[in-house]
């Protein structure tokens, strides 16, 4: 149940599928399905997951196709018992290791990079569980924040660069691990500290032991967690996300002062930055766009005709507020630009005199290879268009982005962050044209298994 | 499809069930189910609803139990063809008429007051459709905003007091009817005017005719539509809801000035009033509570243990923002007080120094008999507690409500509104102890029909 | 539960839908669905149907379309409580009465003739339940074997001609009613007697009372119950069905002696007659065709291509038995002739030298208006073809039918049977071209209600 | 589609789950589920399985638990492409090989012995597909009739003892493989020959090649296929099953002549033997028991109370036929004796004067380790009771079994059959207490995956 609450608080990190694996010390039971946490787990499902240890996972696919096969946690039986693993991040050498393992006769069940770790663990000749885990992790590269369940032990591990967050908390006498502190809030657990880059934790009945088998080579913390991905109420990499976002709004007001009648956010992603912008600039804050509560991030409408209405189903302008006004429209980022273009049009149609788009991050010019589901470079509008071209595409009056320096200053974490998506420079070597390569390697396996209808 | 979009925009008015009835001039096809609009209608379902005329409905039950039987629209075959009806509001004499009809051998299929109108229509000896409708409506009392489909005609009607909103729009050459203008925004239809209290509209291929068979006895427009029920982007009773709510915030700041460090809303219901309060008072606006997007208004969690977490699943405090601060917490209303009590505790636990609750409406002391799903009088905390007692119950430092006069002034619609829930004075005589009487009359019929699992 | 067992034993009488209505003396609960008894009722469903009185129904549609709306029992609330009804048979004047009722403002929920009886019952001004039932039944014509549940009483009624069977049994101290005695066998109830044509039974806590309000005008017992419809282990109209069918085989051997090597039935419909034919003729009995147990009567295969294999999915020849042999193939009746044609081809393809088709009933030349689902006259091959033409169509060497006289003699019930389907003479006046008339009247109402998917 | 038809014809061999894997030369698509063939595959499912090669499987579990995981075919990706396998039979050394593979780091997905073959195939260092298959099969012992799909080739293999049947057919220009010839009848394919014990067939675009890598050590054909398992219309091990069963009836009449009034089978399993017994003895054949078509072999009723009625739901006596008679009751075998005891009681309750049970096979004293789902030795009534004791248990007047010699003579296949279940002597060494050992090894893995509800 506690695990359920935690997953619920992290629902924003993945809406494709969710799962929980629970151990009573002897057996592991797994329950997982496609869909949202609230739809997957009912009283019956939770009742079938007894035991004192559990790991959970919500997934959106950055690797492998979106099927039940690829839902996590992933559970196997190895020579000494059971091994369950849940993974946040992306490995950059999974395809090479997988290729070698298959050549040696290994049979893969899924298209996930995570399964590579399970095979390495199963094949390890090490005796102790912790040594098996370390041996397996020593062979993989890239981003991983992992929780594992091995017989009666819970293990957590974070890659040496620390791409994705992972935090340690305490609930009464038990330790809990989560991607974001918001999970602890819901569980009523106490936040202790970040699990450090390169650290591996072993949690057993005897308590917690920390291992640092890998050199912390360089800091790779994902700055996009601050900008968009984490919940505003979380503490990530040691800072409160809402405050960081408000500071990004302050910085945006400083870098790009604008004459206007009101500041309005794209709800809810631009809300904290808009409050910050309004505060710093003194221009009144208004909710010029209303968001429907009945549409989620991944909402899919039944017909093409209706999908076309996508943004309109989600957002609606308050005409009376916007009519005749000079509007500063704030959002956290622009990916393809198509949604923002529709929003600008919506605001103009509602009668706004001017629309000034202000983005609280720099232009995204390069894909993420470490766990954020950015599209291919070609689809990133800023990878091939200048700011002025984007402004014309959006049909806005002006468009301004935050600078990389402003971003790092406002984030207050300047040294240890990966800004690869804004600069094209990554802390770890990335495979050439990773996306298309993956496609060739794994996407041929189409296995369909259906449950009872 | 247009009808689908309209229902989507009105989803907030009812999440229990939804339905669409469509006519191709000869037949009426009905598709309805329990649940949300987006879950009920898929491409296949909409494909089965061809025709040029359609009416839709979303329902939350104020009358009759919550079963598929009671989903609307309600369709019958009468002697000259088909009659479909969708109803917003509550009749106050339905039980009396139903009793008479059953005694005469009428067979009722549902527990809804709406079915009474269908029987009166079917039994009418009038020849013309409009006369049949008028004869049926002349016998019922209470709140009704109706849309009906009779063979090839669309009919809309609003009760003489005008309790619930009903608006007329135009989409290309076709007329459209909806509860709120937000439906028109999504359809890209143009708003024309309110349908007036006591007015009946007949829309056929030949155009629109207006009938005013009933005297507009007195204005009964529901002020709660402004406070809570309508979407902020709608125009209701001629005014924009967001603006009214901001003005309520202004008025609240005038009536109850408070020394504090920040103003924060209960999202999203208190948002416009909080912006208004901040604007008028000059105290900074902050989002001290974050709302999860994965929980709807009617969200039901799988286990009791989890239901206990209700508010926590939905809202989480931003500790860093609240710690050590004097907080003005704004919401639109208090019904039972239990939710607000949890929110106050949540803000204190996050470290706030003081919590001042400000409500942008007066205390609710009496139930609604005209279509708002208020609980029984006993459950309304303000019906039996003073403001000071409620303040103690909430554990807030201070609690202040808006005055009835302030409300009416800010709403700018002072003469023509029903404020029965705040005053106990209703524009129409209400049946003594209506709720329990209904129970006796209809609740014995338990018919279960199950679809394929 | 007892009711469940009874329905199970009568599954062969209808596979479209099934339902049970149960009364605890105060309320009636109804559970019904499309499909087979075993698929509809699970432990949970039966648990929701407590109470000491219950009626059940299995349906195949002879009237009204095949939807959940039209599943029985049909339950209404009338002025003094609840009324549930389950109906076997067809009324011949339902459309006329329905027309009148609708003109008077009655609202029909379904397309079933059965609902007419419910309306007549609800509108009756009689005080006692039994008088209401009698008044309602006095207005309808045609075939009805009914069970009704009114508040705490169980009522059974059979039309004056006795078209469809209805039997009374006793289980410990309780009376039970069923279409066939095979239901009693499963319930372990004792068979008492037929309910007589024109008889109405009232069963209450005080015991059983018999009423005979209607003159037994003429005997109309359906001879097709013997030939095909009833189970061989049932006692129908006082005779054992298996024995009657064997005697039909005897009679067939007497009327049409044939030189051949073996007698083989179309399983399972021709089995008893084939045993009888073999016994009387001395020609060896063999199972030359094997029936798959995984195909029911109403089996629907997924693709057209596979539907084409219909008979082959159900029956397969035993080549070794048939090769080089002169085969007498026995079945109970021929409707369209298309299935028999495929079977004859199958037997020839398996190597049979000669195929002699022998049918243990006369040619069907006219449709049934009283509850057997025969197709329209045009589709009945014997309505427009001579026996010799049918023989050519079937590609059999010879084809012989039993005579009407032989049938009546073998059935031993010669006076009191309806043989309308063989002779075109019916004991009750039938509406001209009933089928198409019905279509015009009711089939426009297409109401779709879907359960949760 | 052809594959669908074939599975349908073999439905009697397994009702737990079914699946089809289809290859278009490049990819393999798998569709499988729990339940019956007709319920699993609809038009949509078959449409998703294009390609020219397909293998299918129906399963009842003799090994591993009954879950979707364990449904076949089983598909993997190995270093050179895809490998799909469907298996009939049981390996006797699977647990030993699996243990070794897991120790070496192999990850097993299922509890099936079949997966062992897939791992051996994936790990083989052989280059050609056929050599990989042969190397894998050379390491396993026990019963296997296999079909495999490897890239564009279809491979079939039968173990050296030939325990389970496997036949080769031709459909137009394509080769087809099936367990029984009845599958060919439905496909309209021509039967060519048995695949011989120890033979491996490779079918590619270039045609068919036969390999005989394994010595045909000794004949182990399962005589139980004749007695019970195969369909009567199949040709198995070169003989027609219906004819063999009739000859068993002849032999039974010769070994155990009995004075009686009628011979009646337990339908449908005892039908051919009863016809044979009647023919040889001259005692009339009657259908004294009627079988319901709405209950399958694996039928599960909703409540315990109803499960108790098991046999009664399936069979019902024809009282009129049995009353006062001396009855010879024929069945093919007795396993636990509990069902037969209920049938004997049912016949006595219907009024029979004497009940003489005659079984067309010898007493089953030992379990099957080669693919028939017999219970543990303890549950086999004949393993611990004499014939006289069983007779008393059944409450029959007399009980007689066929002798082993009579069985072999009548089967006409005396030399090459495994009669281990009747004699305890098996052609292959069997593991000590196999059943319980398996439990220890594999049953701890409880992985639950649920499809969408």
């Amino acid at each position: 149940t506690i695990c359920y609450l935690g997953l619920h608080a992290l629902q924003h990190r993945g809406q494709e599928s969710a799962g929980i694996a629970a151990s009573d010390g002897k057996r592991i039971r797994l329950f997982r399905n496609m869909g949202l946490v609230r739809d997957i787990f009912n009283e019956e499902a939770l009742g079938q997951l007894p035991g004192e240890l559990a790991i959970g996972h919500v997934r959106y696919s950055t690797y492998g196709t979106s099927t039940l096969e690829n839902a996590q946690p992933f559970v196997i039986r190895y020579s000494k018992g059971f091994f369950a693993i849940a993974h946040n991040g992306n490995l950059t050498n999974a395809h090479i290791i997988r290729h070698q393992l298959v050549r040696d006769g290994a049979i893969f069940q899924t298209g996930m990079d995570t399964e590579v770790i399970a095979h390495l663990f199963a094949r390890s000749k090490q005796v102790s569980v912790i040594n098996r885990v370390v041996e397996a992790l020593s062979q993989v590269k890239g981003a991983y924040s992992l929780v594992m369940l091995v017989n009666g032990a819970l293990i957590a591990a974070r890659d040496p660069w620390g791409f994705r967050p992972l935090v340690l908390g305490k609930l009464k006498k038990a330790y809990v691990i989560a991607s974001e502190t918001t999970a602890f809030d819901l569980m009523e657990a106490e936040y202790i500290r970040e699990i450090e880059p390169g650290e591996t934790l072993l949690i057993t009945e005897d308590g917690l032991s920390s291992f640092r088998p890998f050199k912390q080579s360089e800091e790779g913390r994902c700055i996009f967690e601050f900008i968009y991905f984490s919940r505003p109420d979380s503490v990530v990499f040691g800072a409160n996300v809402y405050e960081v976002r408000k500071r990004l709004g302050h910085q945006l007001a400083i870098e790009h002062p604008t004459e206007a009648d009101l500041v309005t956010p794209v709800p809810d992603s631009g809300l904290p930055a808009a409050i910050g912008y309004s505060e710093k600039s003194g221009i009144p804050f208004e909710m010029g766009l209303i968001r429907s509560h009945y549409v989620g991030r991944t909402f899919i409408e039944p017909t093409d005709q209706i999908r076309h209405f996508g943004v309109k189903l989600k957002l609606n302008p308050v005409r009376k507020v916007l009519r005749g006004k000079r509007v500063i429209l704030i959002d956290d980022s622009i990916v393809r630009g198509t949604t923002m273009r529709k929003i600008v049009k919506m605001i103009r149609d509602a009668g706004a005199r001017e629309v000034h788009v202000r983005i609280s991050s720099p232009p995204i010019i390069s894909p993420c290879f470490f766990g954020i589901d950015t599209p291919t470079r070609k689809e990133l509008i800023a990878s091939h268009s200048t700011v002025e071209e984007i402004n014309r595409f959006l049909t806005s009056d002006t468009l301004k982005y935050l600078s990389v320096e402003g971003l790092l200053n406002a984030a207050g974490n300047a040294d240890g962050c990966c800004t690869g998506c804004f600069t094209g420079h990554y802390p770890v070597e990335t495979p050439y044209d990773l996306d298309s390569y993956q496609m060739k390697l794994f996407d041929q396996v189409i296995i369909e298994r259906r449950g009872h209808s």
Side-chain angles (χ1 to χ4, degrees), chain A residues 63-64 93-100 102 108 110-111 113 116 434-445:
Chain A
Y63 199 90
N93 66 339
H95 55 293
I96 297 164
I97 301 177
R98 181 169 166 143
H99 195 67
Q100 291 163 344
V102 167
F108 276 74
T110 75
D113 54 353
V116 164
L434 180 63
D435 292 308
S436 54
Y437 189 62
Q438 284 174 30
M439 300 297 278
K440 255 187 293 174
L441 184 58
F442 299 134
D443 241 37
Q444 297 165 16
V445 193

mmCIF file of all heavy atoms in Angstrom, chain A residues 63-64 93-100 102 108 110-111 113 116 434-445:
data_model
loop_
_atom_site.group_PDB
_atom_site.id
_atom_site.type_symbol
_atom_site.label_atom_id
_atom_site.label_comp_id
_atom_site.label_asym_id
_atom_site.label_seq_id
_atom_site.Cartn_x
_atom_site.Cartn_y
_atom_site.Cartn_z
ATOM 1 N N TYR A 63 12.690 3.474 -24.637
ATOM 2 C CA TYR A 63 13.500 2.393 -25.179
ATOM 3 C C TYR A 63 12.599 1.171 -25.203
ATOM 4 O O TYR A 63 11.998 0.825 -24.201
ATOM 5 C CB TYR A 63 14.680 2.157 -24.224
ATOM 6 C CG TYR A 63 15.845 1.424 -24.798
ATOM 7 C CD1 TYR A 63 16.873 2.136 -25.400
ATOM 8 C CD2 TYR A 63 15.919 0.049 -24.735
ATOM 9 C CE1 TYR A 63 17.971 1.472 -25.917
ATOM 10 C CE2 TYR A 63 17.009 -0.609 -25.250
ATOM 11 C CZ TYR A 63 18.046 0.098 -25.834
ATOM 12 O OH TYR A 63 19.131 -0.557 -26.347
ATOM 13 N N GLY A 64 12.518 0.493 -26.340
ATOM 14 C CA GLY A 64 11.612 -0.648 -26.420
ATOM 15 C C GLY A 64 10.219 -0.119 -26.688
ATOM 16 O O GLY A 64 9.912 1.041 -26.447
ATOM 17 N N ASN A 93 25.076 1.650 -23.788
ATOM 18 C CA ASN A 93 25.740 0.513 -24.444
ATOM 19 C C ASN A 93 24.935 -0.777 -24.346
ATOM 20 O O ASN A 93 25.481 -1.863 -24.499
ATOM 21 C CB ASN A 93 27.154 0.313 -23.881
ATOM 22 C CG ASN A 93 27.099 -0.114 -22.408
ATOM 23 O OD1 ASN A 93 26.095 0.114 -21.739
ATOM 24 N ND2 ASN A 93 28.172 -0.717 -21.925
ATOM 25 N N ALA A 94 23.637 -0.665 -24.112
ATOM 26 C CA ALA A 94 22.801 -1.857 -23.942
ATOM 27 C C ALA A 94 22.809 -2.725 -25.193
ATOM 28 O O ALA A 94 22.859 -3.953 -25.116
ATOM 29 C CB ALA A 94 21.369 -1.450 -23.596
ATOM 30 N N HIS A 95 22.762 -2.081 -26.355
ATOM 31 C CA HIS A 95 22.661 -2.864 -27.589
ATOM 32 C C HIS A 95 23.915 -3.698 -27.819
ATOM 33 O O HIS A 95 23.866 -4.810 -28.319
ATOM 34 C CB HIS A 95 22.403 -1.935 -28.773
ATOM 35 C CG HIS A 95 23.403 -0.852 -28.909
ATOM 36 N ND1 HIS A 95 23.523 0.157 -27.973
ATOM 37 C CD2 HIS A 95 24.360 -0.616 -29.833
ATOM 38 C CE1 HIS A 95 24.503 0.979 -28.328
ATOM 39 N NE2 HIS A 95 25.021 0.524 -29.456
ATOM 40 N N ILE A 96 25.083 -3.184 -27.417
ATOM 41 C CA ILE A 96 26.326 -3.940 -27.618
ATOM 42 C C ILE A 96 26.359 -5.156 -26.695
ATOM 43 O O ILE A 96 26.638 -6.277 -27.118
ATOM 44 C CB ILE A 96 27.539 -3.016 -27.348
ATOM 45 C CG1 ILE A 96 27.538 -1.876 -28.364
ATOM 46 C CG2 ILE A 96 28.839 -3.808 -27.411
ATOM 47 C CD1 ILE A 96 28.442 -0.723 -27.970
ATOM 48 N N ILE A 97 26.033 -4.924 -25.424
ATOM 49 C CA ILE A 97 26.045 -6.046 -24.474
ATOM 50 C C ILE A 97 24.994 -7.072 -24.848
ATOM 51 O O ILE A 97 25.237 -8.281 -24.829
ATOM 52 C CB ILE A 97 25.796 -5.535 -23.034
ATOM 53 C CG1 ILE A 97 26.876 -4.524 -22.648
ATOM 54 C CG2 ILE A 97 25.775 -6.694 -22.058
ATOM 55 C CD1 ILE A 97 26.655 -3.912 -21.278
ATOM 56 N N ARG A 98 23.829 -6.594 -25.222
ATOM 57 C CA ARG A 98 22.765 -7.528 -25.596
ATOM 58 C C ARG A 98 23.183 -8.405 -26.765
ATOM 59 O O ARG A 98 22.938 -9.615 -26.777
ATOM 60 C CB ARG A 98 21.505 -6.734 -25.960
ATOM 61 C CG ARG A 98 20.350 -7.623 -26.346
ATOM 62 C CD ARG A 98 19.049 -6.859 -26.451
ATOM 63 N NE ARG A 98 18.069 -7.682 -27.127
ATOM 64 C CZ ARG A 98 16.785 -7.717 -26.816
ATOM 65 N NH1 ARG A 98 16.317 -6.967 -25.856
ATOM 66 N NH2 ARG A 98 15.956 -8.504 -27.471
ATOM 67 N N HIS A 99 23.801 -7.805 -27.734
ATOM 68 C CA HIS A 99 24.268 -8.529 -28.896
ATOM 69 C C HIS A 99 25.211 -9.667 -28.479
ATOM 70 O O HIS A 99 25.087 -10.810 -28.938
ATOM 71 C CB HIS A 99 24.988 -7.546 -29.824
ATOM 72 C CG HIS A 99 25.205 -8.082 -31.188
ATOM 73 N ND1 HIS A 99 24.183 -8.341 -32.063
ATOM 74 C CD2 HIS A 99 26.352 -8.426 -31.841
ATOM 75 C CE1 HIS A 99 24.671 -8.816 -33.191
ATOM 76 N NE2 HIS A 99 25.990 -8.886 -33.088
ATOM 77 N N GLN A 100 26.144 -9.352 -27.567
ATOM 78 C CA GLN A 100 27.082 -10.379 -27.093
ATOM 79 C C GLN A 100 26.359 -11.489 -26.338
ATOM 80 O O GLN A 100 26.624 -12.675 -26.535
ATOM 81 C CB GLN A 100 28.124 -9.744 -26.153
ATOM 82 C CG GLN A 100 29.086 -8.824 -26.874
ATOM 83 C CD GLN A 100 29.815 -7.901 -25.909
ATOM 84 O OE1 GLN A 100 29.405 -7.731 -24.760
ATOM 85 N NE2 GLN A 100 30.891 -7.279 -26.393
ATOM 86 N N VAL A 102 23.206 -12.469 -26.556
ATOM 87 C CA VAL A 102 22.391 -13.303 -27.447
ATOM 88 C C VAL A 102 23.298 -14.257 -28.226
ATOM 89 O O VAL A 102 22.967 -15.432 -28.417
ATOM 90 C CB VAL A 102 21.558 -12.424 -28.405
ATOM 91 C CG1 VAL A 102 20.966 -13.255 -29.537
ATOM 92 C CG2 VAL A 102 20.444 -11.728 -27.632
ATOM 93 N N PHE A 108 16.317 -13.294 -24.490
ATOM 94 C CA PHE A 108 15.732 -12.064 -23.951
ATOM 95 C C PHE A 108 14.214 -12.109 -24.061
ATOM 96 O O PHE A 108 13.679 -12.570 -25.065
ATOM 97 C CB PHE A 108 16.278 -10.850 -24.701
ATOM 98 C CG PHE A 108 17.598 -10.378 -24.152
ATOM 99 C CD1 PHE A 108 18.761 -11.096 -24.390
ATOM 100 C CD2 PHE A 108 17.668 -9.241 -23.362
ATOM 101 C CE1 PHE A 108 19.971 -10.685 -23.861
ATOM 102 C CE2 PHE A 108 18.874 -8.813 -22.839
ATOM 103 C CZ PHE A 108 20.041 -9.538 -23.085
ATOM 104 N N THR A 110 12.248 -9.261 -23.392
ATOM 105 C CA THR A 110 11.673 -7.941 -23.616
ATOM 106 C C THR A 110 12.579 -7.135 -24.526
ATOM 107 O O THR A 110 13.662 -7.581 -24.910
ATOM 108 C CB THR A 110 11.548 -7.163 -22.279
ATOM 109 O OG1 THR A 110 12.867 -6.717 -21.905
ATOM 110 C CG2 THR A 110 10.984 -8.016 -21.181
ATOM 111 N N GLY A 111 12.151 -5.919 -24.872
ATOM 112 C CA GLY A 111 12.978 -5.027 -25.651
ATOM 113 C C GLY A 111 13.659 -3.965 -24.785
ATOM 114 O O GLY A 111 14.175 -2.990 -25.309
ATOM 115 N N ASP A 113 16.342 -2.098 -22.223
ATOM 116 C CA ASP A 113 17.753 -2.113 -21.838
ATOM 117 C C ASP A 113 17.935 -2.665 -20.423
ATOM 118 O O ASP A 113 18.950 -3.264 -20.103
ATOM 119 C CB ASP A 113 18.368 -0.713 -21.970
ATOM 120 C CG ASP A 113 17.598 0.353 -21.213
ATOM 121 O OD1 ASP A 113 16.517 0.050 -20.680
ATOM 122 O OD2 ASP A 113 18.080 1.492 -21.161
ATOM 123 N N VAL A 116 19.193 -6.227 -19.816
ATOM 124 C CA VAL A 116 20.634 -6.493 -19.903
ATOM 125 C C VAL A 116 21.238 -6.603 -18.506
ATOM 126 O O VAL A 116 22.041 -7.496 -18.223
ATOM 127 C CB VAL A 116 21.318 -5.369 -20.720
ATOM 128 C CG1 VAL A 116 22.818 -5.396 -20.514
ATOM 129 C CG2 VAL A 116 20.969 -5.501 -22.191
ATOM 130 N N LEU A 434 21.756 7.112 -32.026
ATOM 131 C CA LEU A 434 21.274 6.014 -31.186
ATOM 132 C C LEU A 434 19.886 5.529 -31.576
ATOM 133 O O LEU A 434 19.633 4.336 -31.706
ATOM 134 C CB LEU A 434 21.257 6.465 -29.731
ATOM 135 C CG LEU A 434 20.776 5.415 -28.718
ATOM 136 C CD1 LEU A 434 21.692 4.227 -28.685
ATOM 137 C CD2 LEU A 434 20.664 6.029 -27.334
ATOM 138 N N ASP A 435 18.990 6.463 -31.780
ATOM 139 C CA ASP A 435 17.594 6.075 -31.972
ATOM 140 C C ASP A 435 17.406 5.087 -33.109
ATOM 141 O O ASP A 435 16.807 4.035 -32.957
ATOM 142 C CB ASP A 435 16.730 7.309 -32.230
ATOM 143 C CG ASP A 435 16.646 8.152 -30.992
ATOM 144 O OD1 ASP A 435 16.307 7.581 -29.936
ATOM 145 O OD2 ASP A 435 16.941 9.344 -31.072
ATOM 146 N N SER A 436 17.930 5.436 -34.246
ATOM 147 C CA SER A 436 17.684 4.579 -35.399
ATOM 148 C C SER A 436 18.387 3.242 -35.222
ATOM 149 O O SER A 436 17.902 2.204 -35.647
ATOM 150 C CB SER A 436 18.159 5.271 -36.675
ATOM 151 O OG SER A 436 19.500 5.645 -36.516
ATOM 152 N N TYR A 437 19.536 3.235 -34.553
ATOM 153 C CA TYR A 437 20.257 1.994 -34.335
ATOM 154 C C TYR A 437 19.419 1.028 -33.502
ATOM 155 O O TYR A 437 19.270 -0.141 -33.826
ATOM 156 C CB TYR A 437 21.590 2.269 -33.653
ATOM 157 C CG TYR A 437 22.460 1.047 -33.609
ATOM 158 C CD1 TYR A 437 22.884 0.443 -34.797
ATOM 159 C CD2 TYR A 437 22.837 0.488 -32.403
ATOM 160 C CE1 TYR A 437 23.673 -0.692 -34.755
ATOM 161 C CE2 TYR A 437 23.628 -0.633 -32.364
ATOM 162 C CZ TYR A 437 24.052 -1.226 -33.539
ATOM 163 O OH TYR A 437 24.817 -2.352 -33.493
ATOM 164 N N GLN A 438 18.869 1.547 -32.407
ATOM 165 C CA GLN A 438 17.979 0.731 -31.578
ATOM 166 C C GLN A 438 16.869 0.107 -32.393
ATOM 167 O O GLN A 438 16.548 -1.054 -32.268
ATOM 168 C CB GLN A 438 17.305 1.602 -30.529
ATOM 169 C CG GLN A 438 18.186 1.985 -29.377
ATOM 170 C CD GLN A 438 17.449 2.967 -28.495
ATOM 171 O OE1 GLN A 438 16.228 2.938 -28.403
ATOM 172 N NE2 GLN A 438 18.188 3.837 -27.852
ATOM 173 N N MET A 439 16.285 0.900 -33.229
ATOM 174 C CA MET A 439 15.164 0.425 -34.020
ATOM 175 C C MET A 439 15.565 -0.831 -34.765
ATOM 176 O O MET A 439 14.903 -1.845 -34.731
ATOM 177 C CB MET A 439 14.732 1.487 -35.027
ATOM 178 C CG MET A 439 14.302 2.793 -34.394
ATOM 179 S SD MET A 439 12.842 2.585 -33.362
ATOM 180 C CE MET A 439 11.588 2.661 -34.650
ATOM 181 N N LYS A 440 16.705 -0.761 -35.425
ATOM 182 C CA LYS A 440 17.154 -1.909 -36.193
ATOM 183 C C LYS A 440 17.347 -3.134 -35.312
ATOM 184 O O LYS A 440 17.022 -4.240 -35.683
ATOM 185 C CB LYS A 440 18.483 -1.562 -36.893
ATOM 186 C CG LYS A 440 18.329 -1.315 -38.379
ATOM 187 C CD LYS A 440 19.668 -1.155 -39.050
ATOM 188 C CE LYS A 440 20.335 0.126 -38.560
ATOM 189 N NZ LYS A 440 21.714 0.270 -39.059
ATOM 190 N N LEU A 441 17.900 -2.892 -34.133
ATOM 191 C CA LEU A 441 18.286 -4.038 -33.327
ATOM 192 C C LEU A 441 17.102 -4.770 -32.706
ATOM 193 O O LEU A 441 16.991 -5.980 -32.787
ATOM 194 C CB LEU A 441 19.238 -3.589 -32.220
ATOM 195 C CG LEU A 441 19.794 -4.728 -31.373
ATOM 196 C CD1 LEU A 441 20.522 -5.735 -32.234
ATOM 197 C CD2 LEU A 441 20.703 -4.171 -30.304
ATOM 198 N N PHE A 442 16.198 -4.040 -32.071
ATOM 199 C CA PHE A 442 15.208 -4.722 -31.253
ATOM 200 C C PHE A 442 13.790 -4.690 -31.781
ATOM 201 O O PHE A 442 12.969 -5.460 -31.353
ATOM 202 C CB PHE A 442 15.174 -4.108 -29.856
ATOM 203 C CG PHE A 442 16.470 -4.223 -29.142
ATOM 204 C CD1 PHE A 442 17.009 -3.146 -28.479
ATOM 205 C CD2 PHE A 442 17.143 -5.434 -29.132
ATOM 206 C CE1 PHE A 442 18.201 -3.264 -27.816
ATOM 207 C CE2 PHE A 442 18.348 -5.551 -28.469
ATOM 208 C CZ PHE A 442 18.876 -4.472 -27.807
ATOM 209 N N ASP A 443 13.504 -3.803 -32.667
ATOM 210 C CA ASP A 443 12.095 -3.602 -32.929
ATOM 211 C C ASP A 443 11.436 -4.669 -33.777
ATOM 212 O O ASP A 443 10.235 -4.639 -33.996
ATOM 213 C CB ASP A 443 11.846 -2.227 -33.541
ATOM 214 C CG ASP A 443 10.949 -1.446 -32.622
ATOM 215 O OD1 ASP A 443 11.126 -1.600 -31.412
ATOM 216 O OD2 ASP A 443 10.072 -0.742 -33.107
ATOM 217 N N GLN A 444 12.233 -5.617 -34.230
ATOM 218 C CA GLN A 444 11.630 -6.697 -35.002
ATOM 219 C C GLN A 444 10.802 -7.641 -34.151
ATOM 220 O O GLN A 444 9.930 -8.326 -34.639
ATOM 221 C CB GLN A 444 12.724 -7.502 -35.700
ATOM 222 C CG GLN A 444 13.496 -6.686 -36.700
ATOM 223 C CD GLN A 444 14.779 -7.394 -37.100
ATOM 224 O OE1 GLN A 444 14.920 -8.578 -36.867
ATOM 225 N NE2 GLN A 444 15.681 -6.671 -37.700
ATOM 226 N N VAL A 445 11.142 -7.729 -32.898
ATOM 227 C CA VAL A 445 10.428 -8.666 -32.022
ATOM 228 C C VAL A 445 9.055 -8.129 -31.696
ATOM 229 O O VAL A 445 8.932 -7.204 -30.898
ATOM 230 C CB VAL A 445 11.166 -8.870 -30.690
ATOM 231 C CG1 VAL A 445 10.580 -10.054 -29.956
ATOM 232 C CG2 VAL A 445 12.630 -9.018 -30.920
#
